[in-house]
């Protein structure tokens, strides 16, 4: 593929600092062309308030996308316990628009759920009491950039991958990022900010200079590290305020990246080695531990056999000046993987959902493990998985102080809802066992509510105090956090409370293998198995619903309606099979596809998506017809947008006919 000339790229980069809708009036026209009539009381009221720079989405098909996130809460629990369907979804384009929404919501005492990319699992970005979802994806601009000071100010809805791309052109890079680089900057602030680069840069909080927030009273405030409200924003999970902008420290782009996997036969040696490197003066950029079962799964899913099945640490150094000097220290008891395997793993860090195919389905527990108990906590995770007869695909992402974020993944089967539910329960049992060994929660969402008593008391009080100050009416992410709620008022809170669920989990764990065998027996039963043999449903089950495909989809970037994306289309397929009515407008959005295959390139589950689109479109066209002229016009406009040019520049566009890049527009 021809490269875009560099001056043109520079112009495109500069354009991202402006309002894309003003720069591309055609895109603005298209954006509104596909809006549907406003439906529902609350939606009509907020639309009538005529808040500037705000889009209102109210059709069922549009809202349903926001009633779940990555890794679904088991159907039977969700349906019984939560009101996950929002009353209305709004997309603000500016902090002022958010202020308008907050004043409206506070006046009506309606709950606000802020949503970034929706990449957190198990209800992290799903409402539990309906209300208003504030979708931050239209706030994706770079507002200010100071190359001398190496700082950048962004709207909170920008995705890490887009920011990386912008910085790369300037010879700069972010200091750390989540392996879900498709998630939003604001979302990672709210999630806690541990990921790739956390060994060298620490948690995200160390890289943030200021955050603009909108409180539930509609005030816009700038919060800096000196402010007592600053720390509680990190990991606040949308409970205290809407994060509108973030000012980040950035760094020079590394000249080289040098990953190596160092293998050990035993866990304690692997942990000691990692903690030693994480706390050394010259730290690696990143340090991640993988369990033997994880390497076994890599071999299986990638049809290879060259990953040793052992305890492996992926150590990544940067800016290696002398290629002859091996800067990764290797103790005599360890072995080093060849460079090609190390580079492969360094890339695979960004695709942790790939293993879903083996189910289809992936579950996981996620805890913070202090370095003093790290080896014991990881050992406990291995023991619990063995007890439950599941392959422990463990990862530990290290921090600069030697603590680690432990992810304990295992395969489940989403086509068997009973097994899926029992496997979720196993996840809770494993988490509880890890907390009882001294682990701390990283994030709560809905699923980890039973462990709120394990939170650091000082951090919990800081968060509660920030909530009292910024959201006294308790409209932010209402029903989550300290007090879970849902359809039946206090029932979910009681059921999932540390006193009820927490104690029950501890008891079941105490019963050891007896309870594990009981759970195994129920999980392996033949109840609630999906029997329909449908290629679309199979794909929907393999899809991680992670949203990686959303931010690279040119049709989405122009419409900001997720129904045009792979995630949206696979959900549409699932809804069709469940008998949900798909409107004509909804069907039409599904046809707006350029076949550019950007979605396939970034797909976490490595799905072959375009043939699935053909099938979905065929089924919808049979029912609703298809306006080919409208589709053609859309594609033509999309191909002439700066967003599309940017995707071409990033090498993401593979399939579309496209235009002559060198020849310009
Ligand atoms: C493949 C994959 C890899 C991942 N790797 C990591 C990782 O390395 N580290 C990690 O921490 N997580 C990881 N995650 C989980 C998740 O992607 C991250 O936590 C991510 O940063 C969440 O951002 P988001 O934009 O998707 O937010 P969402 O999932 O939409 O929201 C997350 C929470 O933040 C709140 N929120 C979102 N935006 C705002 C805002 N602007 N203001 C206030 N509150 C807001 C939401 O209400 C919700 O409570 C991974 C997930 C996947 C699928
Ligand atoms: S092929 Fe391109 S336009 Fe179609 S869904 Fe994938 S990314 Fe979007
Ligand atoms: S289609 Fe692929 S990238 Fe998109 S949500 Fe599903 S797994 Fe993620």
């Amino acid at each position: 593929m021809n490269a875009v000339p560099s001056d043109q790229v520079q112009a495109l980069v500069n354009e991202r600092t402006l309002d894309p809708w003003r720069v591309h009036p055609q895109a603005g026209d298209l954006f509104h062309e596909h809006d549907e009539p406003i439906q529902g009381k609350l939606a009509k009221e907020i639309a009538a308030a005529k808040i500037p720079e705000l889009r209102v989405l109210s059709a069922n098909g549009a809202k349903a996308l926001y009633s779940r996130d990555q890794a679904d809460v088991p159907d039977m629990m969700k349906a019984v316990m939560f009101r996950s369907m929002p009353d209305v979804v709004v997309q603000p384009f500016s902090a002022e628009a958010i202020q308008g929404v907050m004043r409206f919501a506070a006046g009506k005492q309606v709950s606000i759920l802020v949503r970034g990319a929706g990449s957190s699992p198990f209800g992290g970005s799903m409402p539990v009491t309906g209300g208003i979802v504030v979708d931050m994806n239209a706030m994706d601009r770079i507002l200010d950039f100071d190359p001398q000071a190496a700082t950048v100010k962004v709207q909170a809805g920008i995705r890490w991958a887009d920011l990386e791309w912008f910085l790369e052109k300037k010879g700069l890079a972010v200091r750390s990022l989540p392996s879900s680089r498709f998630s939003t900057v604001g979302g990672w602030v709210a999630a806690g900010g541990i990921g790739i680069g956390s060994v060298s840069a620490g948690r995200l909080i160390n890289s943030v200079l200021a955050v603009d927030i909108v409180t539930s009273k509609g005030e816009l405030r700038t919060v800096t590290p000196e402010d007592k409200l600053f720390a509680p924003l990190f990991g606040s999970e949308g409970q205290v305020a809407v994060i509108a902008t973030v000012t980040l420290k950035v760094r020079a782009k590394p000249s080289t990246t040098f990953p190596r996997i160092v293998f050990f036969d035993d866990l304690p040696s692997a942990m000691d080695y990692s903690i030693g490197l994480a706390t050394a003066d010259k730290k690696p950029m990143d340090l991640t531990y993988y369990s033997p079962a994880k390497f076994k799964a890599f071999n299986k899913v990638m049809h290879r056999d060259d990953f040793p099945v052992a305890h492996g640490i992926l150590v990544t150094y940067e800016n290696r000046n002398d290629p002859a000097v091996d800067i990764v220290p290797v103790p005599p008891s360890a072995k080093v993987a060849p460079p090609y395997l190390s580079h492969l793993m360094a890339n695979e860090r960004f695709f942790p959902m790939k293993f879903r195919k083996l189910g289809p389905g992936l579950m996981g527990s996620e805890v913070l493990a202090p370095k003093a108990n790290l080896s014991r906590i990881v050992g406990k995770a291995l023991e619990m998985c063995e007890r439950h007869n599941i392959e422990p695909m463990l990862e530990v992402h290290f921090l600069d102080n030697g603590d680690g974020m432990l992810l304990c993944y295992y395969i489940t089967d989403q086509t068997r809802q009973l097994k899926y539910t029992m496997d979720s329960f196993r996840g809770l049992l494993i988490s509880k066992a890890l907390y009882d060994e001294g682990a701390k929660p990283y994030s709560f969402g809905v699923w980890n509510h039973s462990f709120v008593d394990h939170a650091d008391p000082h951090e919990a009080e800081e968060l509660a105090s920030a909530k009292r100050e910024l959201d006294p009416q308790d409209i932010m992410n209402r029903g989550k956090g300290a007090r879970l709620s849902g359809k039946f008022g206090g029932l979910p809170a009681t059921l999932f409370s540390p006193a009820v669920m927490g104690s029950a989990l501890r008891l079941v764990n105490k019963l050891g293998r007896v309870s594990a065998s009981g759970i195994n027996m129920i999980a392996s039963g033949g109840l609630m198995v999906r029997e329909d043999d449908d290629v679309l449903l199979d794909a929907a089950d393999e899809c991680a619903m992670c949203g990686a495909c959303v931010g690279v989809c040119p049709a989405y970037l122009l419409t900001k309606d997720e129904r045009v994306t792979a995630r949206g289309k696979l959900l549409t397929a699932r809804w069709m099979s469940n008998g949900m009515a798909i409107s004509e407008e909804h069907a039409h959005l599904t046809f707006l596809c350029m076949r550019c295959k950007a979605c396939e390139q970034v797909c976490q589950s490595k799905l072959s998506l375009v043939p699935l689109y053909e099938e979905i479109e065929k089924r919808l066209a049979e029912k609703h017809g298809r306006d080919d002229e409208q589709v053609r016009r859309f594609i033509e406009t999309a191909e002439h947008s700066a967003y599309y040019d940017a995707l071409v520049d990033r090498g993401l566009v593979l399939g579309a006919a496209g235009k002559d890049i060198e020849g310009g527009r």
Side-chain angles (χ1 to χ4, degrees):
M1 178 166 300
N2 293 327
V4 181
S6 61
D7 55 338
Q8 201 176 327
V9 169
Q10 198 55 51
L12 294 173
V13 169
N14 292 340
E15 277 178 9
R16 281 194 64 82
T17 64
L18 301 171
D19 182 343
W21 312 118
R22 240 176 285 140
V23 174
H24 303 289
Q26 296 146 304
D29 292 348
L30 276 175
F31 183 77
H32 291 295
E33 187 175 295
H34 300 284
D35 277 355
E36 288 153 291
I38 302 292
Q39 301 163 23
K41 184 167 176 291
L42 193 66
K44 284 184 180 153
E45 285 171 355
I46 197 163
K50 295 204 180 309
I51 299 167
E53 298 187 291
L54 187 78
R55 184 190 192 197
V56 178
L57 296 168
S58 59
N60 270 344
K63 290 189 305 185
L65 274 154
Y66 297 82
S67 69
R68 59 154 299 144
D69 45 31
Q70 191 256 118
D72 215 357
V73 175
D75 285 350
M76 56 176 134
M77 303 202 54
K78 194 164 144 183
V80 174
M81 293 173 66
F82 302 121
R83 206 156 75 73
S84 57
M85 183 76 146
D87 292 294
V88 59
V89 177
V90 294
Q91 286 176 334
F93 283 74
S94 63
E96 291 72 25
I98 303 174
Q99 288 180 276
V101 174
M102 299 301 268
R103 289 188 194 115
F104 173 88
K108 301 234 170 254
Q109 276 292 298
V110 184
S111 168
I112 292 279
L113 183 278
V114 193
R115 174 141 164 153
S119 66
S120 5
F122 295 115
S125 49
M126 169 193 99
V128 291
T129 56
I132 302 174
V133 168
V134 178
D135 173 351
M136 294 296 291
N137 281 279
M139 287 187 60
D140 62 352
R141 278 177 287 152
I142 290 161
L143 299 173
D144 202 3
F145 168 61
D146 182 342
Q148 267 72 45
T151 61
V152 63
K153 180 175 180 178
V154 296
Q155 287 187 317
I158 193 169
R159 289 163 195 264
W160 287 97
D162 293 341
L163 178 58
E164 270 189 308
W165 179 73
F166 170 84
L167 291 172
E168 205 184 321
K169 305 282 174 204
K170 319 268 183 195
L172 296 168
V174 294
R175 285 161 44 98
S176 63
L177 80 170
S179 40
S180 51
R181 58 197 338 166
F182 48 86
S183 63
T184 65
V185 170
W188 203 38
V189 171
I194 299 177
I196 293 174
S198 293
V199 175
S200 51
R203 288 176 179 233
L204 177 64
I205 190 170
N206 297 342
S207 303
V208 176
L209 295 167
V211 181
D212 287 337
I213 56 167
V214 180
T215 70
S216 64
K217 287 186 200 137
E219 294 162 348
L220 180 62
R221 287 171 68 163
T222 300
V223 186
T224 56
E226 299 72 43
D227 198 314
K228 69 177 180 4
L229 292 170
F230 188 72
L233 291 175
F234 293 80
S236 57
E237 299 186 59
Q239 290 173 60
V240 295
V242 184
I243 296 160
T245 75
V246 183
T247 306
L248 290 158
K249 282 190 256 177
V250 294
R251 62 185 182 129
K253 190 179 156 212
S255 56
T256 50
T257 302
F258 181 60
R260 277 288 173 275
I261 320 177
V262 183
F263 284 101
F264 292 85
D265 288 334
D266 65 298
L267 178 67
S269 306
M271 289 297 123
D272 287 349
Y273 171 76
S274 307
I275 292 171
L277 287 188
T279 52
D281 286 342
K282 178 163 173 36
K283 296 175 197 297
M285 187 276 285
D286 192 51
L287 198 54
T288 311
Y289 160 85
Y290 298 99
S291 64
K294 185 94 186 186
F295 288 107
K296 196 167 145 194
F298 269 120
N299 281 336
K300 188 167 177 187
V301 83
M302 290 197 253
H303 306 288
R304 55 195 312 139
D305 59 7
D306 45 0
F307 275 118
V309 179
H311 299 273
I313 320 285
L314 178 66
V315 190
T316 309
Y317 282 97
E318 288 177 336
N319 297 322
R320 182 179 183 233
N321 297 327
D322 179 358
V325 181
D326 198 334
I327 54 176
V328 177
V330 182
S333 62
K335 290 193 186 69
V336 185
Y340 76 95
L341 277 184
S342 304
H343 281 281
L344 182 62
M345 271 309 278
N347 184 52
E348 288 303 319
R349 279 180 305 184
F350 294 101
F351 293 93
M353 300 286 129
K354 180 179 240 173
F355 305 98
R356 272 189 77 85
K357 283 195 167 202
L358 300 175
L362 194 65
M363 283 272 165
S365 298
E366 177 186 72
V367 297
L368 272 175
K371 80 171 172 202
N373 303 336
L374 185 58
S375 199
R376 218 176 60 218
I377 292 169
V378 178
K380 188 72 183 177
L382 292 171
E383 181 200 318
M384 287 297 289
C385 289
E386 199 256 327
R387 181 189 293 179
H388 284 272
N389 206 13
I390 45 187
E391 291 272 10
M393 305 196 315
L394 267 46
E395 289 180 16
V396 179
H397 297 263
F398 283 88
L399 284 152
D400 53 344
N401 62 358
D403 291 354
M405 180 166 78
L406 166 63
L407 296 157
C408 173
Y409 289 121
Y410 50 93
I411 301 298
T412 179
D413 183 349
Q414 213 159 334
T415 65
R416 298 163 61 200
Q417 272 296 315
L418 186 59
K419 175 171 169 50
Y420 187 68
T421 308
M422 293 319 286
D423 280 343
S424 315
F425 185 57
R426 280 184 171 127
L428 293 178
L429 290 169
I430 294 171
S431 299
K432 183 65 185 167
L434 304 184
Y435 290 123
D436 285 346
E437 291 291 334
K440 298 273 163 224
Y442 175 53
S443 61
F444 291 105
V446 170
W447 209 238
N448 277 334
H449 183 73
S450 318
F451 312 122
V452 285
D453 56 335
H454 290 280
D456 178 287
H458 172 68
E459 285 174 16
E461 178 41 39
E462 268 190 340
L463 183 64
S465 157
K467 174 107 180 146
R468 282 192 295 273
E469 181 172 343
L470 298 174
D471 180 30
Q473 288 172 293
D474 185 25
I475 60 169
M476 295 300 301
N477 214 346
R478 182 184 284 164
K480 289 207 217 144
R483 188 162 168 71
L484 189 63
S485 190
K487 267 187 180 160
F488 303 103
L491 183 64
T494 312
L495 223 61
F496 272 85
S497 67
V500 177
M501 182 62 84
S503 311
L505 293 169
R506 185 173 288 146
L507 188 71
V508 177
N509 275 342
K510 283 216 166 102
L511 294 173
R513 289 187 187 276
V514 179
S515 60
S517 318
I519 293 167
N520 263 338
M521 218 166 69
I522 303 173
S524 53
L527 292 175
M528 298 169 72
V529 178
R530 171 167 76 73
E531 270 157 12
D532 350 5
D533 188 13
D534 182 347
V535 62
L536 293 181
L537 282 182
D538 290 347
D541 281 332
E542 283 183 19
C543 166
M545 297 289 159
C546 61
C549 49
V550 175
V552 298
C553 173
Y556 174 76
L557 293 171
L558 289 169
T559 59
K560 287 287 192 283
D561 191 316
E562 249 197 70
R563 285 173 288 180
V564 301
T565 67
R567 176 161 75 174
K569 290 192 252 212
L570 289 173
L571 279 172
T572 300
R574 186 173 280 170
W575 296 330
M576 280 157 69
S577 93
N578 290 346
M580 179 173 137
I582 303 296
S583 70
E584 201 175 319
E585 291 90 347
H586 187 150
H588 174 70
L589 283 160
T590 310
F591 301 141
L592 302 182
C593 176
M594 306 173 71
R595 301 293 194 263
C596 67
K597 295 193 177 179
C599 46
E600 287 192 1
Q601 285 214 68
V602 299
C603 179
Q604 282 281 328
S605 295
K606 297 285 168 221
L607 294 171
S608 185
L609 292 162
V610 169
L612 301 170
Y613 303 156
E614 306 276 353
E615 182 59 30
I616 297 172
E617 289 180 22
K618 191 175 114 218
R619 292 185 198 179
L620 285 169
E622 275 164 14
K623 195 160 167 22
H624 295 285
R626 176 187 162 113
D627 185 339
D628 285 333
E629 174 51 22
Q630 216 174 10
V631 176
R632 190 199 60 73
R633 211 160 57 78
F634 176 83
I635 291 175
E636 196 176 82
T637 311
E639 281 185 341
H640 286 77
S641 73
Y643 279 132
Y644 187 74
D645 287 341
L647 293 169
V648 172
D649 176 52
R650 286 158 73 175
L652 285 165
V653 171
L654 289 183
K659 59 177 184 257
D660 176 0
I661 306 290
E662 295 287 17
R665 292 177 186 172

